[in-house]
Amino acid sequence: MSDEGLFAVGGRRRGMDLDQRFVDAVMDTEHTGVEPGALDAYSRVVTGVATSLLPSVAALSVRSARGAGAGSAVTFTDDGFLLTNAHVVAGATGGTADFADGTETRFDVVGADPLSDLAVVRVHNPGAPAAPLGDADLLKIGQLVVAVGNPMGLAGSVTAGVVSGLGRSLPARDGRRVRIIDSVIQTDAALNPGNSGGALADSTGTVVGINTAVAGYGLGLAVPINSTTRTIIGELVATGRVRRAWLGVAGMPSPLPPPLATRLGQKLGLRVVEVVPGSPAGSAGIYLGDVLISAGGQPLQTVQALQRLMLSPAIGANLPITLLRKNALVDVITVPAELG
C-alpha cells in the first residue's frame, strides 16, 4: 500500500480562510462592539470541526496483563485503520471500538511504536469515514485547534483552544531505549480522561496531531502528523513494526565558529560526545570532539534532527556527513545499520 493511498489528505487554503474570518470577526468587535458575531464565528468553526470528525473517532476499550484500559482513536483510511497512542494499547492484541453513532466492533492491534507513542489498529467492521491527515509543520503559535475524542465510551468530547507551543520535546521509552519525540504540539485545549489517541485538528477538520498526554493543568500535548510520523504510520500498517537506523554516535548542540556559522547560515552543530566502538559512525571515521554539521544535506543543529533521519530508508544506505574537525571541514560516508 503506497503512502499516497494510505492517508486522506486535507488542504490548507480553506483553513487559512476560516482562521482569517475568525480574526476579522474578533477585530470587528473591537470597533463595533458586536461581540455575538465573534462568538458565532468561533462557534461555527468548532461545531464544523466536531460535525466532520466525531463520526471518525472511536472509544477504545482494551484488556491486557496490565489490566483494563481505555482511550480514543481516529479513523484515517476507508478500510478501517485507526490511529491511536501506543500507550493506549500497550500489552494488548485487540479490544472493542465504540463510535459516536452507537456502532460497536472488535479491533486488532496492527502495530505499535512506543518510541513515537503511535499505534495503528484495525476494526473488524469498517464503515466510519476517514479523517483527513494534515501537516503539523505548517501550524503557527496562536492558531485555533480543536481536540476531538471519545473518552470513556461517551458520545464524544470536543474542546477548543490555541496552539500555545511548538517544537516541544517529549521523552518516550521502549524498555531500555529512550527516544525524544520532537516537534510535539502544545495546546491549551482541555484534554479529558480517555482523550489519549484522539484527534487534534485545525479549523478545517484536518487532523494535525494525536493527543498523547496531559502535562499539567491547562496544558495538553499531541504527537504531530508530519513527514516523519507518516513514515512511521506507513510502516505500522505495512509490517506492524517500525525499523530504525543506528549510527552509534551521541552528540550535543555546540556553537559553530562565527565565521563558519555566517558562511553556512547555521549557528549550531552536534559535538560528538560518544562513539560506540565498531558502530557505523566509528567505522566511518567519526571521532570524539568532531562537530557534525549536516547529514544527507540536512543541517544538524539538534539531536532530534539526526533522529529524524534514522528511519528505515536510511538502513544500509550511504549517508554523507559533513563535520568540523580542528577547524577544517571533513566529509565522511556512513552506512547506518538497523537498530536491534
Side-chain angles (χ1 to χ4, degrees):
M1 183 181 298
S2 68
D3 287 347
E4 288 79 5
L6 186 61
F7 307 105
V9 180
R12 289 287 307 169
R13 180 67 257 173
R14 177 170 170 262
M16 293 173 66
D17 291 339
L18 282 170
D19 289 343
Q20 187 59 51
R21 289 202 299 270
F22 176 66
V23 171
D24 291 343
V26 172
M27 293 178 66
D28 285 343
T29 67
E30 296 177 354
H31 298 288
T32 66
V34 187
E35 184 176 355
L39 292 176
D40 287 346
Y42 179 89
S43 298
R44 283 196 297 271
V45 171
V46 177
T47 56
V49 172
T51 299
S52 64
L53 281 187
L54 277 174
S56 305
V57 177
L60 300 186
S61 299
V62 300
R63 184 172 295 277
S64 68
R66 302 181 181 185
S72 299
V74 56
T75 307
F76 67 99
T77 72
D78 290 328
D79 52 351
F81 285 97
L82 282 72
L83 192 58
T84 185
N85 288 145
H87 74 261
V88 169
V89 296
T93 58
T96 303
D98 293 278
F99 289 87
D101 65 357
T103 300
E104 178 179 319
T105 179
R106 296 287 301 173
F107 72 83
D108 298 318
V109 176
V110 176
D113 179 44
L115 293 181
S116 65
D117 199 19
L118 291 174
V120 171
V121 304
R122 191 175 193 180
V123 294
H124 291 189
N125 298 305
L133 301 185
D135 185 357
D137 291 345
L138 301 177
L139 290 175
K140 304 295 184 184
I141 299 291
Q143 184 172 337
L144 174 66
V145 286
V146 181
V148 181
N150 206 341
M152 307 306 182
L154 301 177
S157 172
V158 178
T159 57
V162 298
V163 175
S164 52
L166 291 169
R168 301 292 193 254
S169 297
L170 181 69
R173 181 180 295 274
D174 181 13
R176 291 183 298 174
R177 291 187 296 170
V178 177
R179 183 181 184 272
I180 301 299
I181 304 174
D182 64 325
S183 302
V184 169
I185 306 164
Q186 177 184 319
T187 173
D188 64 356
L191 298 181
N192 300 309
N195 263 125
S196 283
L200 185 72
D202 65 15
S203 59
T204 71
T206 300
V207 179
V208 292
I210 300 298
N211 299 318
T212 189
V214 179
Y217 179 78
L219 178 63
L221 300 175
V223 177
I225 300 296
N226 55 25
S227 59
T228 300
T229 50
R230 281 173 179 270
T231 299
I232 291 171
I233 296 165
E235 286 203 47
L236 289 175
V237 170
T239 68
R241 69 187 188 98
V242 176
R243 299 171 67 214
R244 283 190 167 81
W246 176 69
L247 272 180
V249 63
M252 59 182 298
S254 178
L256 297 178
L260 181 61
T262 300
R263 178 155 63 93
L264 298 177
Q266 178 178 334
K267 294 181 178 180
L268 301 174
L270 288 180
R271 182 172 297 278
V272 176
V273 297
E274 181 183 2
V275 179
V276 177
S279 67
S283 300
I286 295 176
Y287 304 112
L288 290 177
D290 288 347
V291 179
L292 309 183
I293 294 175
S294 66
Q298 301 298 313
L300 298 178
Q301 300 195 74
T302 64
V303 174
Q304 291 90 336
L306 183 57
Q307 284 184 344
R308 279 194 292 269
L309 299 175
M310 294 295 103
L311 292 173
S312 59
I315 298 172
N318 288 345
L319 180 67
I321 292 181
T322 298
L323 55 85
L324 181 67
R325 178 184 296 159
K326 296 180 179 179
N327 295 320
L329 292 178
V330 177
D331 292 323
V332 299
I333 300 295
T334 63
V335 182
E338 182 171 358
L339 179 64

